[in-house]
């Protein structure tokens, strides 16, 4: 079995003391690829630095909607410089988050649109973060030119948004939330979403899956999310399909 943790934050200070050990353990548990996702400029630099130390770790660069308050729109020029590094395989995370921050909606939108453009210009997949911002996000998606590949990361339990993503041929990726007993709605999304468009991620250090809930999340735990998808879909070869979807999405030598 091979796994791909398509979204985590090993650059965060929660991994400062034992980062190398966490990475080694992931590899031992068959995590063959890790995508470390930047949330700001410093963070994007750091995920590149980590990716240069390990050949199976890649980087995504971007400014998270909850971090836009620290930056000016011109700062995205720095992100543009960073994406020229060959270990950078995606743009993000970017998007809109009105759950934690609704005072700066317009600024979040500007940063999102600008990062969509960078993804288009460099022909890179885009990682979208969405929380309580569905209508504004759809409004923007409908009027601007999008890059070829889009994933809604940490997909929540919104069936309506799932239907929209399905029509648009977007990928969605699931976190440890899926393993929680009370995550009924998100389990329904798994059932209706085409398996060819599903990926998994830990979003470590956050959202630790059952049975490790309460502990710090790590990439090796990604298999518990896949197990839950297997149970819900009641399908063979779910592991291989999800692994290949991820290679294909991030242009890492999958079958297209
Ligand atoms: Zn994240």
């Amino acid at each position: 079995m091979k796994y791909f943790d398509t979204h985590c934050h090993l650059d965060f200070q929660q991994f400062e003391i034992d980062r190398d050990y966490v990475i080694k353990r992931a590899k031992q548990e068959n995590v063959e690829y890790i995508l470390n996702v930047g949330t700001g400029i410093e963070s994007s630099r750091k995920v590149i630095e980590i990716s240069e130390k390990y050949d199976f770790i890649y980087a995504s660069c971007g400014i998270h909607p909850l971090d836009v308050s620290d930056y000016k729109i011109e700062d995205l020029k720095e992100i543009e410089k960073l994406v020229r590094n060959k270990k950078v395989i995606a743009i993000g995370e970017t998007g809109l988050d009105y759950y934690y921050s609704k005072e700066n909606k317009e600024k979040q939108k500007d940063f999102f649109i600008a990062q969509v453009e960078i993804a288009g210009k460099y022909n890179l997949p885009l990682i979208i973060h969405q929380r309580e911002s569905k209508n504004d996000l759809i409004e923007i998606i409908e009027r601007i030119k999008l890059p070829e590949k889009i994933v809604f990361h940490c997909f929540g339990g919104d069936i309506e948004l799932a239907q929209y993503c399905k029509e648009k041929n977007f990928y969605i990726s699931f976190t440890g939330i899926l393993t929680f007993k009370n995550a009924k709605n998100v389990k329904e999304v798994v059932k209706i979403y085409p398996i060819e468009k599903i990926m998994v991620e830990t979003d470590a250090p956050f959202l630790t899956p059952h049975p490790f809930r309460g502990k710090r999340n790590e990439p090796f735990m990604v298999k518990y999310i896949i197990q839950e998808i297997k149970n819900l879909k009641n399908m063979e070869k779910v592991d291989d399909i999800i692994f290949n979807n991820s290679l294909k999405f991030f242009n890492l030598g999958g079958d297209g």
Side-chain angles (χ1 to χ4, degrees), residues 7 9 64 93 153 201 203:
H7 188 123
H9 302 284
H64 192 288
E93 51 186 300
H153 106 92
E201 60 174 284
D203 210 8

Side-chain angles (χ1 to χ4, degrees), residues 5-248:
D5 184 359
T6 64
H7 188 123
C8 62
H9 302 284
L10 300 183
D11 58 305
F12 282 21
Q13 54 84 15
Q14 285 92 332
F15 296 106
E16 217 48 74
I17 9 164
D18 61 349
R19 183 172 298 113
D20 292 312
Y21 173 73
V22 166
I23 291 169
K24 199 171 148 198
R25 171 144 76 181
K27 188 83 194 190
Q28 277 163 357
E29 304 251 0
N30 301 325
V31 180
E32 297 281 324
Y33 290 87
I34 292 175
L35 179 58
N36 230 345
V37 179
T39 54
I41 290 173
E42 264 320 301
S43 159
S44 294
R45 280 200 194 106
K46 196 154 179 188
V47 294
I48 291 176
E49 212 176 278
I50 297 169
S51 75
E52 285 174 334
K53 252 180 106 181
Y54 297 91
D55 55 344
F56 73 110
I57 301 186
Y58 290 82
S60 178
C61 292
I63 297 178
H64 192 288
L66 295 175
D67 291 79
V68 300
S69 48
D70 298 342
Y71 298 101
K72 296 190 295 290
I73 196 85
E74 301 82 63
D75 294 331
L76 284 170
K77 290 203 182 86
E78 191 54 35
I79 294 291
E80 244 193 283
K81 277 187 203 152
L82 294 174
V83 304
R84 297 189 183 121
N85 184 297
K86 65 176 189 319
K87 291 301 285 284
V88 176
I89 57 168
I91 297 294
E93 51 186 300
T94 179
L96 304 176
D97 191 319
Y98 296 169
Y99 180 80
Y100 285 113
S101 171
K102 36 177 159 299
E103 319 73 52
N104 61 355
K105 286 184 178 178
E106 292 311 313
K107 193 170 185 188
Q108 290 191 37
K109 287 181 195 173
D110 292 344
F111 273 74
F112 174 60
I113 293 168
Q115 290 179 84
V116 171
E117 280 168 13
I118 296 173
K121 185 169 167 189
Y122 293 90
N123 198 19
L124 290 167
L126 182 74
I127 300 171
I128 295 183
H129 169 103
Q130 185 287 130
R131 199 154 180 205
E132 294 195 2
S133 56
K134 183 176 63 178
N135 294 341
D136 280 7
L137 204 55
I138 291 176
E139 185 271 319
I140 294 171
I141 285 173
E142 289 296 325
R143 71 175 156 87
I144 65 173
K145 192 172 171 337
L146 300 172
E148 198 190 322
K149 290 171 177 169
I150 289 182
V151 60
F152 272 69
H153 106 92
C154 188
F155 204 86
D158 189 324
I159 288 278
E160 202 189 27
L161 182 60
Q163 294 290 6
Y164 176 79
C165 289
K166 197 168 145 184
E167 276 165 37
K168 290 276 172 187
N169 258 324
F170 296 157
Y171 285 65
I172 62 180
S173 93
F174 295 100
T175 61
I177 292 174
L178 190 62
T179 66
F180 302 169
K181 267 208 184 70
N182 59 0
K184 286 199 186 64
N185 297 337
V186 66
K187 290 180 203 282
E188 289 309 307
V189 173
V190 169
K191 289 183 193 161
I192 63 137
Y193 217 77
I195 188 72
E196 299 74 29
K197 291 278 151 59
I198 290 178
M199 298 194 284
V200 288
E201 60 174 284
T202 57
D203 210 8
F206 314 113
L207 306 174
T208 310
H210 177 79
F212 299 102
R213 237 180 137 172
K215 297 207 171 98
R216 179 189 65 178
N217 200 358
E218 291 182 28
F220 87 85
M221 297 180 186
V222 76
K223 61 181 134 188
Y224 296 91
I225 306 159
I226 297 185
Q227 186 55 50
E228 188 63 29
I229 297 174
K230 246 184 192 168
N231 299 343
L232 291 162
K233 286 278 199 198
N234 195 15
M235 249 170 111
E236 299 275 318
K237 302 202 168 162
V238 162
D239 318 65
D240 289 345
I241 296 169
I242 290 178
F243 184 72
N244 287 323
N245 293 346
S246 315
L247 292 182
K248 187 175 166 187

